[in-house]
Structures are given as C-alpha cells and as structure tokens.
Amino acid sequence: MPNRLAAETSPYLLQHAHNPVDWYPWGTEALDRARELDRPIFLSIGYSACHWCHVMERESFEDPAIAALLNDGFVPIKVDREERPDIDELYMAAVQAMTGSGGWPLNLFLTPDLQPFFGGTYFPPDDRHGLPSFARVLASIDDAYRTRRDEVTSSATAITGHLQQQLRVVPGTTDPLAGQLDAAVVRLASLFDATHGGFGPAPKFPAPMTIEFLLRTWHRTGDAGTLAMATRTLDAMADGGLCDQLGGGFARYSTDAGWLVPHFEKMLYDNAQLAIAYLDAFRATGTERYARVARETLDFMLAELRTDDGGFAAALDADSEGEEGRFYAWTDAELRSVLSASGLERSTIDAAARGYGVTVSGNWEHGRNVLHRPPGVPLDAEVERRSRAALLAARARRVRPARDDKQLAAWNGMALRALARGAAVLDEPRYAAATVDLVAFVTGHLWRDADRLWRTARDGRAHTPAFAEDYVLVADGLLEAHAALGTAEWLDRARRLVERVTADFWDDDAGVYAETGPEHEAAIARVRSLTDGATPSSNSVAADVLLRVALLAGDAAADRRARQVLRTVAPALDRTPTALSRMLCTVDRALAAPSDAVVAAATPADEAAAAFRTALAVAYLPNLVVASVADGDSTATWAIFEGKRPIEGRATAYVCRGYACEAPTEDPVVAVAQARSLSRG
C-alpha cells in the first residue's frame, strides 16, 4: 500500500512511497500530528542520486520490523533536500554541531516543536563497525522520550540555542580590500595539488567557482602561477574518470586525489558551473581544448538532462542494476568485444584500450575500468572517433541510471547562465535555441504572479515558494541570456526578481539576504547562506546580480545592498577562500571600475548587433557588463541606455568605464579593443 509520499512530485520521495514506513512529507499535517500525539519527529533528509540513501532505504525503511518501530513511536517525515534547502541546511548544521560531521542520508530526531535532540547520518540495520543498529537507536530514543523527557527537552533547548547563536549574522562595517583577493590566492596556492590539480586531498571536488576566481585574478594581475593552478586543474579533470570520456559531462566528485574514480552521480549544477569554467578558460587562453570540453558538457546537459518542456532535470543516479557505476565502467574483455564487433582491427582496438587506460586487471572494482586519458598516452583522433561511437552504441543498450527529473528553479538558473554563455562564446545556434526554450520554461512553469517563482516543478506541477537562491540564480541566468541574445524582456524580468528578493528576503538585522521569506514556515532559526558549497551561496550571487542591475538601471539602492553584503562577509574572505569563491568573484567586480558595452540596434533581431555580442563574449573581460537596446524596448529608458541609439540605423556599440565612454563604433573589432583598453585602465 502506498504511503502519503505517493502524492508528491519529487522522485526521491516517490522512491519511498511504497515503504512500510508511514511517511509524511514536510508540512502542517505532519507537524500537527506530532503535537497531537506528543511524539518525537523522525526527520530523514536525502536526495535521489544519493547512494547511501538508497542503501538505508533497502536495509531499514523497507524492513517491516523497523517500520513498525518508526510508525509506533514517531512521526516519520521524509524530505528531499533539493526541494527544501532551508530544512536541509538548518538541520545539517544541527547534526554537525552534535557529531562534528554531516552528510546524507541525514537523520534527526526532533521534539514536536521542531527542536533537534539527536541525529546522525547513515545508521546500519545491525551493529556494525562501531555503529549501533538503527533498531537499537530507535528503541533508545523512544525510551528516552517516554521516560526521561526532561533530559530530552533540556538537550533540545541547548542544541537549539547553540544553533541560533551559530547561525547569527552580524552586519559588517568594513569594505573588502584588494589585498584580501591576493591573500585568498596565496591560501589557495597552499592547498593546491600540483601533481594532480585541484585543492586538498581526496575526496576531491571540481571547485568550478574557485577556478572562476583564479581566472579573474590572472586577468587582474597577469600572474602566470595563478593561471597555472586553474589550467592544471581543468586539464586533469578533463583527462580523468570524473569526466565521462564517452558521453561528456562530469560526475559529482572523485573518490581519489587523481580524478580517476568518481562518485558516478551527475548533477545539473556541477555541469552548468563546469561549462562556465571551461568556457572562461577558453576565453582567457584561446586553448581550443577547453572549448571542446565546454561543448561536450553542454551537449551532455541537452542530451541527458533536458526535459520535453525545455527545462532541465536535477540529476542522474550513480547506480544502475543495483551497482554504482555499472553503466559507465568496462572490463577489458567487454571493451575489446564491442570494438571487435564494430569492425575495428586489432591494432586500433589496442590503441583505444591504451588511450582510455583500460587494462585486464582494471582500475576499479571487479576488474572493471573507469575510462580516462592516461598522461603521455596519445589517442589518435580517428581511433577516438571510431571507438567512441562503438562504445557509446553498446553503452546505450545497458540499463541506464535513473534520472531525477524534477526541475529546480535555482539549478535551471545556473543551466541558463551556462547555455547563454555557450551560445555567445561558441556562436552556437543550438545553445541559443536552448536558451530561448529554457527562459520559456521558467516563465511558463515556474513564474507566478508578476515577480514570484516556484521552487520546483515536475510533469507540469509546480509548488513550494521559491527561496532566495532561486530568485538570484534565475536573475543571474536572465542577465547572461540578455547579454548573449539581447532580449529586453529578460532584462526587465531579472530586475523584477531582484526587487522581489529584496522585498521578501532582505534581513536588515544581519545586513544580508535570508534563505526564507514570508511565504515559508517559521523555523527554530533563520538560515542566511554566505558560504559556497557545491552551489554558490545566495548572497554571493545576489551581490553580483545587484552590482550589475545597479549599473544597468542606475539603481543606487541595489549598489548599497550589494556592498553591505560584501562588508558583512569581508572578515572571512582571506581565511576560507574555497568556501567563498563566488563571493571573491563578486568582490573582484565590486573593486573594479564599472565597465559596460551597450549594443544599440534598430531591431532586436539585427545580425550586426549579434556580431557585437559574440565578439564581446569571446574576449575574456570578466567584469564587462554587456547589454542591448533596440527601438521600442521596454528597458530603453534605463540609465545605461540614455542617449545610446544606432547611428544611421546601423548597429552601434558604446563602450564605457565609469563615466568615461569611448567613441561609438560600428565595428565589433574596435569595440573589443576599446573594452580591452578600458579593462587595463
């Protein structure tokens, strides 16, 4: 019999819809039930691509005996962390405070008024490796709640007080300094793995925001060592098993220091951000390989994650046929059999095996190989083309990993930024068309009222009021889409989202944006996202978006709020650069003189205007704000467009820095030269 999760849209929640556990989704029904029965809440948080979440479901949540313990003594609530980042971040902080570590599945016990008193991550079904069985944990918690309530209440109150103090944010008073950017680079250099690329030991994460910051720093300083950290990391990731050598796209992280064996789940947010990193490296260095990796990453997103309505699904699972990585890994015999059956001769097969690092003994479990590009082993382009086609065809006949096809506003905003930049930098019509379709999806499925968003949608059903990160990341994507394609409506929509996020989420007491607004339930503490994780913090993106909107619209209030966010974060910038990389990028913008290029044309579809946008996108000028205006645009009265019109009906570029503007030009080459000159000034 299905439980209450059967009515949800989240694939993760639906995976648990037939558990014998009497699950509730997060909401008033569950919380009221806990108060009514005076039972503790068992809160379990995970996501569909989480390997250990699947393990715990099979071992515990499908076990009738464990389900009976949960149903008789608790109100069990299951949460998809990707749909409810507010709940996840709050209670992750609680578990980290209690245990010193965190992760998923995240399992907590709460009082009926939502105060946590015990928690952890994975609990095994029997006593194992020093961990108590889940059944013993449940029995102990149930006994404590019934017989030692005062102890439980006291512990919950203490943990909640600690959490509220830990999450408190005090407004800053000192602006960030250029020296802090330099200090952050020094700190990153101390963490840099010169042998394998990346930062820190295994497990190793891609850190695309850190690469973005390093490229910006190189542009600002010209320091070759800074550029080398970025390019060494990009090269190593592209060569490793982290990158799908056949289908393109990147896995979540590498389990080893050398990028060889990944945790095989593929997330939309990772690939969107990595596409940006490789595009920017191509712009900065002109190295064609980076353009190719960016193209393959965007093509993976279009092939594997795009949904029929033009939006993008959240993730691909790591597992298939009950095994992690089964879809992606090969034994030597499998690879040779496939290539032989496709008609390749023995010498070509041998070359392909060497070029993909395949051996008889394997480099992973059960004699299987994770395909990668070993250093110093070239793979001929024709051998690669033929072997890749044969292996992809064979792989397509395997059981595919499950896809989490919910569509999250924030992650689709990141996809929009990547597609739009790819459309402009690579001058690729397919990415331009996908950009248009994605904007149509966001406005048609996630947009509500005049300026509000839903957090999540699936199969045409949208729900959950959006969080601050949704507003700012969609606005970020819309600004990038406007820069690439020039549509005025997208610029107008971005500004409306900025005004809404400020009205609903700005916290005067903290001097930053909170994650939740008036449409969300009150919680035991209010989360304000300042540090970057796998995705950028809402405040780092908000400040970046506000600075650009302030320049475009002449909005002094937006500029003040952006700089207040930066003042609040300033003390931490040089201490923890890997946790503040997107914020450091925003500081880099804030400390530079504002620079912009306005492309004015008679009509939005003017091909000469598009040529300006492409030329300006290819040039690596990270702080340049590109905007377009045509006769009759709704944004034509914005401050940046004042007095800027096409000369004699021909597309014209106006390049400015601060209050100084170059002579208007009808030549894209001249416009780029002007922008480069001003960026050096």
Side-chain angles (χ1 to χ4, degrees):
M1 292 291 292
N3 55 48
R4 293 171 185 82
L5 300 183
E8 296 298 303
T9 61
S10 159
Y12 175 66
L13 299 185
L14 291 171
Q15 288 166 7
H16 293 76
H18 290 271
N19 294 163
V21 178
D22 188 18
W23 290 115
Y24 288 80
W26 183 274
T28 55
E29 181 186 4
L31 306 184
D32 289 346
R33 185 67 170 162
R35 287 188 286 267
E36 176 189 333
L37 297 176
D38 190 24
R39 286 184 184 174
I41 292 167
F42 171 65
L43 176 63
S44 182
I45 304 174
Y47 58 104
S48 72
C50 166
H51 173 73
W52 286 101
C53 298
H54 298 324
V55 172
M56 192 163 177
E57 181 196 10
R58 290 193 300 269
E59 292 178 341
S60 296
F61 300 143
E62 292 182 354
D63 184 316
I66 289 178
L69 290 172
L70 281 167
N71 296 340
D72 293 344
F74 305 87
V75 173
I77 299 177
K78 176 60 74 173
V79 166
D80 182 338
R81 66 174 291 260
E82 295 166 353
E83 285 194 335
R84 293 303 305 255
D86 57 326
I87 298 169
D88 177 61
E89 189 166 350
L90 175 63
Y91 288 111
M92 179 65 76
V95 167
Q96 289 171 333
M98 286 186 268
T99 69
S101 62
W104 299 276
L106 187 68
N107 295 299
L108 299 97
F109 297 88
L110 318 177
T111 63
D113 60 355
L114 305 182
Q115 295 189 81
F117 61 91
F118 184 78
T121 54
Y122 166 77
F123 291 107
D126 45 43
D127 294 346
R128 183 189 303 169
H129 305 305
L131 295 173
S133 72
F134 190 41
R136 279 213 297 138
V137 169
L138 292 174
S140 176
I141 295 293
D142 180 53
D143 177 72
Y145 194 79
R146 285 186 295 103
T147 64
R148 302 190 305 279
R149 180 71 63 87
D150 288 348
E151 293 178 25
V152 170
T153 301
S154 176
S155 176
T157 301
I159 292 169
T160 299
H162 174 80
L163 200 58
Q164 290 169 340
Q165 182 61 31
Q166 176 186 331
L167 296 176
R168 181 169 173 262
V169 174
V170 178
T173 57
T174 304
D175 290 326
L177 303 172
Q180 290 183 282
L181 300 180
D182 299 330
V185 173
V186 172
R187 175 67 177 140
L188 286 170
S190 73
L191 300 171
F192 179 63
D193 180 346
T195 302
H196 301 110
F199 302 88
K204 192 169 282 183
F205 291 81
M209 290 173 277
T210 297
I211 292 168
E212 187 176 348
F213 168 63
L214 291 172
L215 291 172
R216 278 175 162 270
T217 300
W218 167 78
H219 179 266
R220 177 173 58 86
T221 66
D223 179 64
T226 302
L227 179 63
M229 283 193 283
T231 56
R232 175 71 188 106
T233 302
L234 292 168
D235 289 339
M237 290 192 300
D239 284 338
L242 184 81
C243 180
D244 182 350
Q245 300 296 329
L246 300 182
F250 290 84
R252 173 78 277 269
Y253 63 86
S254 175
T255 60
D256 61 285
W259 305 107
L260 176 61
V261 178
H263 184 37
F264 288 90
E265 66 195 42
K266 288 182 174 180
M267 313 300 294
L268 175 61
Y269 59 75
D270 282 322
N271 284 280
Q273 293 180 98
L274 283 165
I276 290 283
Y278 281 95
L279 286 167
D280 282 358
F282 168 63
R283 297 163 68 203
T285 68
T287 302
E288 187 60 37
R289 187 202 187 182
Y290 298 140
R292 179 175 63 80
V293 176
R295 187 176 284 106
E296 290 173 352
T297 305
L298 293 171
D299 287 346
F300 156 74
M301 289 167 55
L302 293 176
E304 301 284 347
L305 295 177
R306 186 162 58 166
T307 51
D308 291 342
D309 51 18
F312 283 81
L316 296 182
D317 206 335
D319 301 3
S320 57
E321 301 182 82
E323 295 182 39
E324 183 178 1
R326 177 71 188 90
F327 182 73
Y328 300 101
W330 302 81
T331 65
D332 180 75
E334 284 174 332
L335 181 132
R336 290 179 179 277
S337 174
V338 166
L339 297 183
S340 177
S342 70
L344 271 65
E345 57 277 8
R346 176 66 179 271
S347 61
T348 301
I349 294 172
D350 289 343
R354 287 193 302 272
Y356 284 126
V358 174
T359 64
V360 173
S361 59
N363 56 33
W364 193 44
E365 300 170 349
H366 312 301
R368 289 180 290 175
N369 292 271
V370 178
L371 303 189
H372 64 291
R373 303 296 293 271
V377 183
L379 183 59
D380 178 79
E382 181 61 15
V383 171
E384 180 180 12
R385 184 189 66 79
R386 296 172 66 194
S387 60
R388 187 179 190 182
L391 293 169
L392 273 174
R395 197 173 81 171
R397 295 191 289 272
R398 293 177 173 177
V399 176
R400 302 188 69 82
R403 184 172 80 164
D404 183 336
D405 55 359
K406 70 175 177 289
Q407 301 144 314
L408 299 168
W411 298 10
N412 273 265
M414 286 188 273
L416 181 58
R417 182 183 184 225
L419 283 167
R421 188 166 298 181
V425 172
L426 303 175
D427 195 18
E428 177 55 70
R430 291 186 301 111
Y431 303 151
T435 297
V436 173
D437 290 345
L438 181 49
V439 174
F441 164 77
V442 170
T443 57
H445 293 266
L446 296 174
W447 203 281
R448 57 195 174 94
D449 305 327
D451 56 3
R452 294 186 188 274
L453 296 171
W454 293 116
R455 165 69 174 181
T456 184
R458 182 171 179 265
D459 293 337
R461 288 176 57 198
H463 62 88
T464 305
F467 301 96
E469 71 166 3
D470 296 300
Y471 284 92
V472 298
L473 282 164
V474 170
D476 192 29
L478 287 168
L479 290 176
E480 192 78 40
H482 171 78
L485 302 180
T487 303
E489 179 196 355
W490 302 345
L491 198 56
D492 182 62
R493 284 183 180 271
R495 188 181 185 188
R496 277 188 273 160
L497 291 180
V498 167
E499 290 171 347
R500 173 50 58 194
V501 77
T502 296
D504 285 359
F505 296 86
W506 180 256
D507 184 344
D508 265 325
D509 293 335
V512 295
Y513 289 91
E515 286 306 295
T516 54
E519 294 188 289
H520 301 108
E521 311 96 332
I524 59 170
R526 200 175 188 194
V527 174
R528 304 162 188 88
S529 174
L530 299 177
T531 57
D532 302 316
T535 58
S537 76
S538 56
N539 277 284
S540 63
V541 179
D544 192 16
V545 168
L546 284 163
L547 288 171
R548 283 176 283 161
V549 167
L551 174 63
L552 291 163
D555 188 338
D559 186 81
R560 285 195 299 272
R561 288 193 194 279
R563 295 180 189 279
Q564 178 57 61
V565 169
L566 298 180
R567 280 193 290 272
T568 296
V569 180
L573 287 175
D574 46 4
R575 293 198 306 269
T576 55
T578 56
L580 291 162
S581 295
R582 183 70 192 267
M583 192 72 77
L584 289 164
C585 293
T586 303
V587 172
D588 181 68
R589 181 186 299 280
L591 293 178
S595 59
D596 59 87
V598 170
V599 180
T603 67
D606 191 315
E607 291 185 5
F612 272 115
R613 288 190 289 269
T614 296
L616 291 164
V618 171
Y620 185 60
L621 301 166
N623 287 322
L624 182 70
V625 175
V626 178
S628 297
V629 66
D631 294 342
D633 280 352
S634 60
T635 55
T637 58
W638 286 26
I640 200 168
F641 300 127
E642 184 178 352
K644 296 171 184 174
R645 292 294 179 268
I647 296 175
E648 297 181 358
R650 294 188 295 272
T652 305
Y654 298 80
V655 178
C656 304
R657 182 173 187 262
Y659 296 102
C661 293
E662 298 291 302
T665 179
E666 299 166 30
D667 186 343
V669 174
V670 172
V672 170
Q674 291 174 339
R676 287 191 187 281
S677 175
L678 290 179
S679 75
R680 288 192 295 270

